[in-house]
Amino acid sequence: VLLERYDVEAEFTVTRHGVVYRFSFPEGESPCLLLATQTADLLSVDETTVEGRQELTGDVTGYFCLRFDRPSTGRDPLQSGLRLCFDGSAPLEVRVGVSLIDVAQDRRNLENELGDRPFAQLVKEARQEWQAALAQIHVEGGSETQRRTLYTALYRYMGRMQNITEEGRYYSGYDGRVHSGEPDFYVSDQIWDTFRSAHPLRLLIDPRRELDMIRSYVRMFTQSGWLPRFPRVGGDVPCMLGHHTVATIVDAYRKGLADFDVDQAYAAMRKSVAEATKLPWRNGPLTALDRVYMEKGFFPALRPDENETIPAVHPFEARQAVAVSLECCYDEYALALMARELGKEGDYATYIKRARNYRR
């Protein structure tokens, strides 16, 4: 990217827990950088390294370690951050490690993944990794535009979920602890958007990673007591409506991806359907509106111009009564199928009957 105001060329490449930036300044100008620190705490600053931490979502802290390819010749604290100046007109490289665990893990991530390996080598390795991922689907025919569209969509699908495991350990925002000795832990999903096609696609082309994602969802339940809808690094965000993690897990199980704690997963799915509120953009236990659905088979709407009477209803998102009812039916249908698979005939009878509530 050309930073036009300063005529500086900015490049970067990445590893799993690291970034290398390279800044090329105009000939004859010495490099200067502004490190914005308004929301970060600097823990250590010397001529070649800056370490710090930053509060992320929830109670999660992110740690970072910046290492410059040559000593800084001046450091000026400003209201907007820390200004660093360097001698020489050669491109300036900044190697950055990140961690959700602690500074010591951060340093190891930087050393293990970046070290002193050349910028061009890291670019090549990142490109090779993406090429291997995209090559999971091979197409023939069509136009160049159609192939570009397909691989662009494939690239975007691979942005979720995100593996936050670091050398066999991970910090979970679901119980506030660091875990080790477990399969890779994935967060950052938008299940309302991804259950329809992203997760089923991954079942076909990358089942090992999909299995780790299913296991991650089950662990989120054991750590927090609830099956999340939009799992972020700091915990669940109750975006959209429905509990479609249920459908994702059932789909995987019925297609043969069953190497996870099935009993725990079923308990999690059943609790989401039977005990969690169905209100859009809300987490928590059942409300009076949910009990109407349980008893009468539909989620009640307001009459035209009627004011809301239930404080738990989101002031902007409202009740969305028809959409909520339909999405609940879908989840209950999925749960019924799982109950039948596991020989739970009583639950099957209950939830296959509720699955027909769309008729109301």
Side-chain angles (χ1 to χ4, degrees):
V1 175
L2 178 64
L3 308 180
E4 295 178 344
R5 181 184 298 177
Y6 308 103
D7 196 25
V8 172
E9 185 181 61
E11 305 168 86
F12 74 93
T13 188
V14 299
T15 60
R16 293 189 179 275
H17 305 95
V19 189
V20 180
Y21 296 96
R22 184 166 66 184
F23 301 103
S24 299
F25 289 75
E27 187 175 352
E29 289 193 15
S30 296
C32 281
L33 295 178
L34 177 66
L35 178 61
T37 58
Q38 299 97 318
T39 60
D41 296 322
L42 298 185
L43 304 176
S44 173
V45 180
D46 61 31
E47 292 181 346
T48 58
T49 307
V50 175
E51 294 181 342
R53 64 189 176 196
Q54 185 170 12
E55 298 304 314
L56 305 178
T57 59
D59 295 325
V60 179
T61 300
Y63 299 89
F64 58 87
C65 178
L66 287 75
R67 186 174 299 165
F68 308 102
D69 67 353
R70 52 190 183 270
S72 60
T73 56
R75 299 189 297 273
D76 302 315
L78 304 175
Q79 187 174 2
S80 55
L82 181 65
R83 185 172 180 264
L84 302 159
C85 296
F86 302 84
D87 284 340
S89 58
L92 175 67
E93 286 192 2
V94 187
R95 292 172 183 254
V96 185
V98 296
S99 174
L100 297 173
I101 296 176
D102 54 32
V103 173
Q105 181 66 55
D106 187 14
R107 294 180 194 134
R108 288 200 298 273
N109 291 344
L110 191 154
E111 207 55 55
N112 294 341
E113 298 185 15
L114 302 176
D116 296 322
R117 290 151 67 208
F119 186 88
Q121 180 184 346
L122 293 167
V123 171
K124 181 180 179 181
E125 291 173 1
R127 185 176 294 275
Q128 287 173 339
E129 186 157 351
W130 270 109
Q131 185 63 29
L134 295 170
Q136 291 176 108
I137 292 181
H138 176 73
V139 295
E140 297 177 358
S143 66
E144 181 180 353
T145 298
Q146 289 171 322
R147 292 193 296 273
R148 182 183 297 115
T149 298
L150 183 143
Y151 283 108
T152 299
L154 189 60
Y155 163 80
R156 291 180 180 278
Y157 133 88
M158 289 178 177
R160 298 287 186 274
M161 299 167 73
Q162 296 167 3
N163 183 356
I164 62 169
T165 305
E166 309 174 47
E167 288 191 308
R169 300 193 301 159
Y170 69 91
Y171 174 83
S172 174
Y174 293 84
D175 63 1
R177 296 174 49 225
V178 175
H179 296 257
S180 61
E182 300 176 358
D184 287 349
F185 191 67
Y186 285 79
V187 295
S188 191
D189 200 7
Q190 294 154 233
I191 199 74
W192 189 87
D193 304 278
T194 57
F195 85 97
R196 296 175 177 85
S197 55
H199 282 281
L201 173 61
R202 196 178 294 106
L203 271 171
L204 295 175
I205 68 174
D206 202 351
R208 181 195 60 79
R209 186 170 277 115
E210 180 67 18
L211 177 60
D212 279 347
M213 294 178 186
I214 298 295
R215 289 168 168 169
S216 297
Y217 267 112
V218 177
R219 272 181 278 162
M220 292 174 202
F221 170 72
T222 62
Q223 293 169 9
S224 70
W226 293 98
L227 201 58
R229 287 189 280 176
F230 273 49
R232 302 287 174 83
V233 67
D236 188 31
V237 179
C239 299
M240 305 307 293
L241 57 159
H243 292 278
H244 300 319
T245 313
V246 174
T248 299
I249 296 174
V250 174
D251 189 41
Y253 183 82
R254 298 185 78 225
K255 291 175 179 174
L257 204 67
D259 189 15
F260 57 90
D261 190 331
V262 175
D263 291 337
Q264 190 75 283
Y266 185 80
M269 292 186 290
R270 195 180 187 282
K271 184 175 181 180
S272 292
V273 170
E275 299 179 36
T277 182
K278 296 161 177 49
L279 282 171
W281 293 75
R282 294 297 194 201
N283 275 341
L286 299 176
T287 68
L289 300 179
D290 298 295
R291 292 188 179 90
V292 172
Y293 178 85
M294 299 293 193
E295 295 169 9
K296 299 185 178 181
F298 63 89
F299 205 71
L302 292 171
R303 295 181 179 85
D305 301 321
E306 184 181 1
N307 292 327
E308 183 55 70
T309 58
I310 305 296
V313 174
H314 192 286
F316 177 79
E317 294 294 333
R319 297 186 181 188
Q320 301 184 41
V322 173
V324 166
S325 296
L326 291 176
E327 303 221 16
C328 288
C329 294
Y330 183 84
D331 294 335
E332 287 164 338
Y333 174 70
L335 184 63
L337 297 182
M338 191 70 171
R340 185 173 62 184
E341 293 275 355
L342 300 178
K344 299 179 184 296
E345 296 301 327
D347 279 359
Y348 173 75
T350 296
Y351 290 109
I352 200 66
K353 178 180 180 182
R354 288 190 188 175
R356 300 188 181 100
N357 282 340
Y358 70 88
R359 298 171 179 175
R360 299 174 184 266

